[in-house]
């Protein structure tokens, strides 16, 4: 394959079709843009194929194609799937014309779209790499779906997991270990907007400047433990004067009425600020700036974009002791950790975080240092580009080599 030189003079030897239809609809665009920058720096030619709710990031050298149009909203699933198929056909027409030999698809465990993209890629003899954000559906385990997921993933050329817990889950559904590479999720330092002063952000959100603010941010899913956080709030309120719970995001496959009832039952209505809607990009910084701590009381998770965002913004995080969290957060070092599902443990850790201002500020500072150092997109882009190159025939080794025990 002939090599190309990009505008910065970097030799490009791999052309990548990065296919990620969620984009700006669900916050996945932060990941897309970071990875695109890393791959470009590693000498790849990259096109991003995403949905029409994603704004063009204007990244030098990046091909930007919002071909997935109208795939979200209130129209029937059948209509949206037809639009998804039409968008995918446009994606692969472009990928062929641009000689993009590797199709890199971002997976959130929705099997029908995954099958569409993988089938088209195989028909066109492209190398297929999946980055698996959610190994199994967070809506709940379904045996047949787990079996089908394993079969779908095994039909590709390589699978990227973000951490060891995802690696073990992939292996448990039958994905061979030699197909899997663990490559971390990157920070959002290059994508987020500048954070305003806390006082300014609180004025914009109507929050008392003297309040102690706990932020719960992002899609509201049953597995994210918002109910546990609400139930822990009265105990926190008894110990911390002026505590406020700021809930910002929209429900996913559930109604907020359940949580509203829990708030009323706990007598916490006056201490909860509810922004139950999609939070646009230009408003996100206000929420993190207004927060003293960001609570992630999740019961199940593989990798959290909210965790990455909070640490990127230099905010202290309170997380449950799930393996996917504790691979990143060390209690008392770069965050706070409580015992999974234990209301008293969550309340106790929140009280500690909110009462000790100097400790909290220092932990938040170390969190930012950690994520800048350990989740650098240039390193991630380089590791990902090396994987792509191993798949291509000109390297003399189109298949992945088996992993050593040390890996």
């Amino acid at each position: 394959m002939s090599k190309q030189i990009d505008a910065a003079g970097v030799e490009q030897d791999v052309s990548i079709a990065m296919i990620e239809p969620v984009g700006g609809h669900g916050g996945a665009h932060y990941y897309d843009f970071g990875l695109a920058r890393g791959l470009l720096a590693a000498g790849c030619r990259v096109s991003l194929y995403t949905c029409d709710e994603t704004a063009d990031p204007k990244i030098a050298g990046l091909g930007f194609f919002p071909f997935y149009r109208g795939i979200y909203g209130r129209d029937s699933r059948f209509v949206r799937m037809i639009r998804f198929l039409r968008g995918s056909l446009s994606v692969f027409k472009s990928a062929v014309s641009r000689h993009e030999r590797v199709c890199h698809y971002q997976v959130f465990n929705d099997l029908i779209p995954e099958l569409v993209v993988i089938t088209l890629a195989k028909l066109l003899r492209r190398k297929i790499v999946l980055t698996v954000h959610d190994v199994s559906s967070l809506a709940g385990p379904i045996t047949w779906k787990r079996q089908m997921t394993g079969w779908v993933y095994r039909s590709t050329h390589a699978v990227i997991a973000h951490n060891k817990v995802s690696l073990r889950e992939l292996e448990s559904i039958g994905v061979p270990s030699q197909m899997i590479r663990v490559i971390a999720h990157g920070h959002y330092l290059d994508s987020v907007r500048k954070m305003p002063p806390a006082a300014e952000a609180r004025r914009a959100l109507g929050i008392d400047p003297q309040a102690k603010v706990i932020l719960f941010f992002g899609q509201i899913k049953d597995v994210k433990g918002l109910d546990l956080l609400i139930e822990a709030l009265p105990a926190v309120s008894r110990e911390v004067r002026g505590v406020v719970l700021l809930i910002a995001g929209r429900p996913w496959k559930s109604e907020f009425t359940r949580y509203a009832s829990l708030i009323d039952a706990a007598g916490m209505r006056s201490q909860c600020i509810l922004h139950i809607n999609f939070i646009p990009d230009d408003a996100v910084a206000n929420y993190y700036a207004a927060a003293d701590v960001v609570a992630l009381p999740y019961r199940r998770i593989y990798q959290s974009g909210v965790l990455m965002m909070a640490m990127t913004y230099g905010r202290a995080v309170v997380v449950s002791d799930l393996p996917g969290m504790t691979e990143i957060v060390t209690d008392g070092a770069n965050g706070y950790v409580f015992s999974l599902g234990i209301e008293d443990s969550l309340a106790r850790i929140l009280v500690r975080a909110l009462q000790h201002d100097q400790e909290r500020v220092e932990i938040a500072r170390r969190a930012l240092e950690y994520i800048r150092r350990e989740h650098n997109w240039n390193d991630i882009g380089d590791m990902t580009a090396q994987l792509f190159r191993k798949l291509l025939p000109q390297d003399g080794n189109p298949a992945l080599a088996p992993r050593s025990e040390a890996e």
Side-chain angles (χ1 to χ4, degrees):
M1 177 181 176
S2 62
K3 298 183 179 182
Q4 302 182 39
I5 306 296
D6 71 6
V10 176
E11 190 175 59
Q12 299 172 311
D13 61 351
V14 183
S15 294
I16 311 300
M18 186 191 300
I19 307 170
E20 199 288 283
V22 175
H25 175 76
H29 57 308
Y30 294 111
Y31 180 89
D32 300 338
F33 300 162
L35 181 58
R37 290 187 179 97
L39 288 171
L40 288 165
C44 297
R45 188 164 66 91
V46 185
S47 296
L48 173 60
Y49 298 98
T50 186
C51 75
D52 55 354
E53 296 181 35
T54 308
D56 187 347
K58 302 290 196 296
I59 297 172
L62 175 66
F64 179 75
F65 303 99
F67 287 164
Y68 290 102
R69 302 184 182 280
I71 64 172
Y72 302 106
R74 296 184 179 276
D75 291 328
S76 71
R77 182 171 175 81
F78 175 78
V79 168
R80 289 183 285 116
M81 280 305 306
I82 292 298
R83 292 171 182 162
F84 184 90
L85 176 59
R86 187 167 57 206
S88 296
L89 291 171
S90 296
V91 165
F92 283 97
K93 180 179 179 181
S94 175
V96 169
S97 69
R98 293 172 64 84
H99 307 289
E100 291 160 350
R101 303 174 66 193
V102 177
C103 292
H104 181 207
Y105 187 60
Q106 314 285 324
V107 174
F108 296 92
N109 202 260
D110 192 352
L111 279 175
I112 295 177
E114 291 164 18
L115 281 169
V116 168
V117 170
I118 291 169
T119 300
L120 288 171
K122 289 178 80 69
L123 287 172
L124 294 168
R125 302 176 65 83
R126 264 47 193 173
K127 298 295 184 181
I128 310 164
V129 178
L130 304 182
T131 288
V132 182
H133 297 279
D134 292 337
V135 180
S136 298
S137 174
L138 295 181
I142 303 172
T143 301
W144 69 263
K145 190 171 184 179
R146 282 177 59 84
Q147 293 172 343
M148 179 65 76
T149 298
W151 178 82
V152 170
Y153 294 175
R154 289 193 300 274
S155 71
T156 66
H157 296 92
V159 177
I160 296 171
H162 288 313
N163 49 35
K164 293 177 182 177
V165 66
S166 295
L167 167 64
R168 290 192 293 269
E169 181 82 2
L170 285 164
E171 290 173 335
S172 77
I173 61 173
V175 181
S177 59
Q178 65 266 27
M179 284 187 64
I180 308 169
R181 291 292 182 271
V182 176
I183 301 176
H185 192 302
H187 60 58
Y188 294 143
L189 289 167
D190 299 318
S191 297
V192 297
R193 295 171 186 260
K194 184 178 179 181
M195 193 164 67
E200 179 183 322
R202 290 187 176 194
R203 278 196 303 272
L205 297 173
I207 300 173
D208 184 341
Q210 303 304 315
K212 293 289 190 179
V213 180
I214 303 167
L215 173 64
F216 181 96
F217 189 90
Q219 282 189 329
I220 301 170
K221 304 179 181 181
D222 290 345
V223 295
K224 288 191 173 183
L226 176 57
D227 54 335
L228 185 73
L229 180 56
I230 293 167
E231 289 163 352
L233 190 58
V236 179
S237 181
R238 287 193 292 270
E239 300 292 331
V240 180
R241 185 176 180 181
V243 69
V244 168
L245 173 58
L246 173 59
I247 304 172
R250 57 186 175 189
W252 181 77
K253 296 189 177 180
S254 65
E255 298 293 333
F256 190 77
T257 50
R258 173 193 171 208
Y259 301 103
S261 297
L262 288 173
I263 291 169
D264 290 335
M268 291 285 108
R269 176 66 67 171
S270 64
Q271 290 171 265
C272 291
I273 299 174
L274 308 179
H275 292 188
I276 312 305
N277 49 261
F278 174 75
I279 309 300
D281 282 352
D282 59 2
V284 168
N286 277 343
Y287 288 87
Y288 287 95
D292 290 293
V293 297
V294 180
L296 299 92
Y298 299 173
R299 293 188 175 92
R300 187 179 174 212
I301 199 73
Y302 294 103
Q303 175 68 48
S304 172
V306 173
L307 176 62
M308 294 289 107
M309 184 71 74
M311 297 177 83
T312 295
Y313 272 126
R315 283 298 177 258
V317 295
V318 175
V319 305
S320 51
D321 58 358
L322 288 166
M325 294 295 193
T326 56
E327 284 187 37
I328 295 173
V329 180
T330 300
D331 186 49
N334 62 353
Y336 300 89
V337 181
F338 77 95
S339 299
L340 173 65
I342 307 298
E343 178 186 320
D344 290 346
S345 177
L346 174 57
R348 186 167 59 252
I349 292 295
L350 285 168
V351 169
R352 170 188 163 191
L354 294 170
Q355 285 185 337
H356 297 88
D357 294 348
Q358 187 173 348
E359 177 190 60
R360 184 180 68 250
V361 170
E362 178 60 20
I363 283 174
R365 183 190 67 78
R366 289 198 295 262
L368 179 57
E369 285 184 355
Y370 168 84
I371 203 168
R372 192 190 305 274
R373 181 180 68 251
E374 301 294 334
H375 295 264
N376 183 285
W377 278 116
N378 281 348
D379 295 337
I380 291 166
D382 186 60
M383 287 186 286
T384 308
Q386 288 181 38
L387 171 60
F388 294 157
R389 291 183 178 110
K390 285 182 179 180
L391 294 173
L392 297 175
Q394 76 267 21
D395 293 319
N397 182 15
L400 283 172
R403 298 189 311 165
S404 69
E405 288 298 318
E407 290 181 291

